[in-house]
Amino acid sequence: MNTVTRRWLQRLGGFASTEGERVAGRLDAIRAGYVFCGILCTACVVLDWAILGRVTLTTLPARCVWGGTMVLLGLFSRTPPDEQSWHATIVAVVTAFCFPVLVLQTGGAQSPLFFWNIAIPLCFMAIAHGDLRAVAVSTVLNAVGVMVIVGSGGGGLVKAALWGGLSVIAGVTGMYGTYAHHRVLQAKLRHERERAETLRQLAESERRRGRFERLALLGQLAAGVAHEINNPLAYVSSNLRYLEEMGARGETCAPEELAEIHRESRLGVARINQIVRDLMSFARDDSSDADTRSSTAEVVAEALRLGRPKLQAGVRVIDEVPAQLAPVRLAKGRFVQVVLNLLTNAVDATAATAAPNGPELRLSAREHEETVILHVEDNGPGIPEHVLERLFEPFFTTKPTGLGTGLGLALCREYVERVGGTITAENREGGGARFIVTLPMERPASLGSVSGPGVAA
Ligand code: ADP
């Protein structure tokens, strides 16, 4: 099925994906209805010939005006043929003139077409799509037309009034049907708008939740970050002070010493720069990032740099992630958040470890079929069975109030599953916990074709 056909079917079937598409689909259906009715109206000239018993052009002008108006409105009108438009009313007026002409041309009140006058307001109920004004205009003009036909055929005032009354009854029924249709349509539109608004709010609150957890993680690192920056800052400023004092004493620095001071200071500034850049890129909301792939080794290195303040407390980190792994289908910022969360949890868990070698974290990764599998292991106390069951539940935490939000692992799972990956946890045989993150590879061939199932990852 090609794209155009699918879009048409989506529109007409009412399962278009956006409200705009649904509205456009409804208007397209109304336009198509006009064109169809216009062609049918004109083609019914054959009916006139059957009634008259001969092929004649007499009724063709009225048929062409009637049908042509509908076709032109359906095909060329630039304003949308919705309930606020005059399309249906124009058709009602043209019908009110053309139909009596046709009836009179095919035998007046004796013409089989005459009995159609009852059906006309009802037909409008179907094609006016909730436009009450058009049905009312059609009812009034149609009743007048019927009375003119009956009167001109010598039917008398009473008979004309009787037919006019019947026509009005049919019109009122049509008006009621139109009103009910209008109400249903409005309710449906309201429901769709509310649904779209709810989805928008949901996406927004999800984005905020991710940002909240991100900032909470940053908060945990903040104290250590200050210390991280202080170190290089201290030796950069001590170097500058040394140079200042030398200058004040009128002494000159030996070129080798100056080069060493310069090298040391540059390293310090580069380190501060790196820390600030990492923090800023982590704090940035990258949910709209176009690049949805990342390198596991780079992500782990960045998470380790960011987590350094927390890891420094005597934690041994073994990074065994090979640099040449295939890229994975997860935006870098999100992936760093996942790894950083696993690292901070592991540090918290190993804080009181009784292992002889002290706290230890191990990160390793490998390719398996079309995925990259990352292991984050620690030698902490492991995860109790009752915690393991609820580990990924939002707001589940065993940490004291103010320290844990319980959102970290829930978000990790959300980010990973959105791109078709998985995250699980288990206890290691030798003690400690192991988190396994499996992510689909993003092969260059599939670039641009897959970026997660429609949700900003
Ligand atoms: P938070 O860290 O805010 O508590 P998480 O969703 O990140 O929220 O973690 C939920 C819970 O999972 C933690 O409170 C902890 O009990 C448990 N947990 C996570 N990682 C480990 C680990 N490496 N070892 C033991 N327990 C863990």
Side-chain angles (χ1 to χ4, degrees):
M1 194 190 302
N2 66 29
T3 323
V4 177
T5 320
R6 198 174 49 243
R7 205 172 58 223
W8 256 91
L9 285 178
Q10 273 184 347
R11 285 175 166 194
L12 294 176
F15 49 88
S17 49
T18 64
E19 195 193 338
E21 274 182 17
R22 273 190 289 273
V23 172
R26 206 170 67 78
L27 294 180
D28 278 351
I30 298 177
R31 281 183 195 280
Y34 276 100
V35 175
F36 174 73
C37 290
I39 294 172
L40 195 70
C41 239
T42 315
C44 277
V45 72
V46 179
L47 206 67
D48 305 339
W49 296 340
I51 294 168
L52 295 170
R54 64 196 155 92
V55 175
T56 165
L57 295 179
T58 334
T59 58
L60 201 57
R63 288 258 171 223
C64 285
V65 171
W66 194 10
T69 307
M70 288 192 248
V71 173
L72 290 178
L73 283 175
L75 285 183
F76 300 112
S77 162
R78 276 203 244 129
T79 49
D82 57 10
E83 289 161 48
Q84 276 82 47
S85 82
W86 284 88
H87 292 67
T89 311
I90 292 172
V91 177
V93 173
V94 173
T95 305
F97 285 102
C98 292
F99 182 72
V101 170
L102 287 169
V103 172
L104 290 172
Q105 284 173 335
T106 52
Q110 310 308 317
S111 165
L113 285 184
F114 174 73
F115 298 96
W116 261 92
N117 73 73
I118 305 282
I120 283 180
L122 296 174
C123 290
F124 264 88
M125 178 179 77
I127 69 158
H129 291 270
D131 185 347
L132 199 59
R133 177 183 52 204
V135 185
V137 169
S138 165
T139 303
V140 173
L141 294 184
N142 195 53
V144 173
V146 165
M147 288 195 285
V148 169
I149 295 168
V150 175
S152 66
L157 198 62
V158 176
K159 203 171 172 195
L162 191 70
W163 275 106
L166 278 176
S167 184
V168 168
I169 290 172
V172 170
T173 311
M175 282 196 270
Y176 175 74
T178 309
Y179 173 70
H181 178 74
H182 174 83
R183 298 270 316 250
V184 171
L185 212 65
Q186 290 303 315
K188 202 173 152 205
L189 277 177
R190 208 170 37 246
H191 168 75
E192 274 173 8
R193 266 187 216 125
E194 281 167 8
R195 189 169 154 266
E197 177 59 17
T198 309
L199 286 176
R200 196 194 59 73
Q201 283 175 359
L202 200 69
E204 172 65 10
S205 84
E206 205 174 277
R207 203 182 60 76
R208 282 205 192 134
R209 195 159 57 97
R211 189 156 173 73
F212 167 71
E213 175 58 18
R214 201 171 261 257
L215 294 179
L217 259 178
L218 271 180
Q220 281 189 39
L221 301 175
V225 167
H227 175 75
E228 275 277 286
I229 289 181
N230 250 350
N231 244 350
L233 202 60
Y235 60 75
V236 170
S237 54
S238 110
N239 282 346
L240 288 176
R241 209 173 321 114
Y242 175 68
L243 288 177
E244 255 173 38
E245 282 168 9
M246 281 191 97
R249 286 199 301 269
E251 293 171 15
T252 48
C253 197
E256 306 82 52
E257 198 185 3
L258 194 61
E260 179 57 23
I261 288 174
H262 184 246
R263 195 190 62 81
E264 213 177 57
S265 304
R266 270 191 55 180
L267 277 179
V269 171
R271 174 78 196 120
I272 295 171
N273 190 18
Q274 178 72 57
I275 295 169
V276 172
R277 248 186 312 137
D278 285 350
L279 281 176
M280 278 171 67
S281 102
F282 185 69
R284 186 168 58 93
D285 179 14
D286 67 349
S287 53
S288 58
D289 264 6
D291 193 3
T292 54
R293 64 185 198 139
S294 49
S295 141
T296 308
E298 276 176 24
V299 163
V300 166
E302 187 167 331
L304 285 174
R305 277 203 308 273
L306 272 165
R308 223 171 98 161
K310 211 168 166 156
L311 296 168
Q312 262 175 353
V315 185
R316 205 158 82 92
V317 180
I318 304 164
D319 179 1
E320 293 174 339
V321 178
Q324 66 280 7
L325 289 175
V328 293
R329 192 193 304 161
L330 180 58
K332 191 174 174 196
R334 294 272 155 105
F335 198 2
V336 171
Q337 188 169 348
V338 170
V339 177
L340 191 58
N341 191 66
L342 298 179
L343 286 177
T344 46
N345 275 347
V347 174
D348 289 344
T350 52
T353 187
N357 296 338
E360 189 177 283
L361 308 188
R362 183 182 296 270
L363 295 108
S364 57
R366 65 190 165 89
E367 291 182 2
H368 176 67
E369 292 174 352
E370 283 302 293
T371 61
V372 170
I373 302 175
L374 170 71
H375 282 194
V376 180
E377 300 171 321
D378 63 64
N379 62 349
I383 310 166
E385 204 54 43
H386 70 279
V387 175
L388 205 53
E389 283 164 14
R390 306 187 53 196
L391 210 57
F392 295 98
E393 267 178 34
F395 303 107
F396 173 77
T397 180
T398 57
K399 294 177 189 170
T401 322
L403 281 184
T405 59
L407 279 175
L409 289 176
L411 273 172
C412 287
R413 187 170 68 174
E414 203 172 300
Y415 292 161
V416 167
E417 287 186 352
R418 266 188 204 175
V419 294
T422 57
I423 178 168
T424 54
E426 60 189 25
N427 284 313
R428 292 164 67 208
E429 275 158 28
R434 175 186 294 125
F435 283 81
I436 305 164
V437 181
T438 308
L439 286 167
M441 287 179 189
E442 184 73 320
R443 293 276 183 211
S446 61
L447 275 184
S449 61
V450 190
S451 57
V455 190

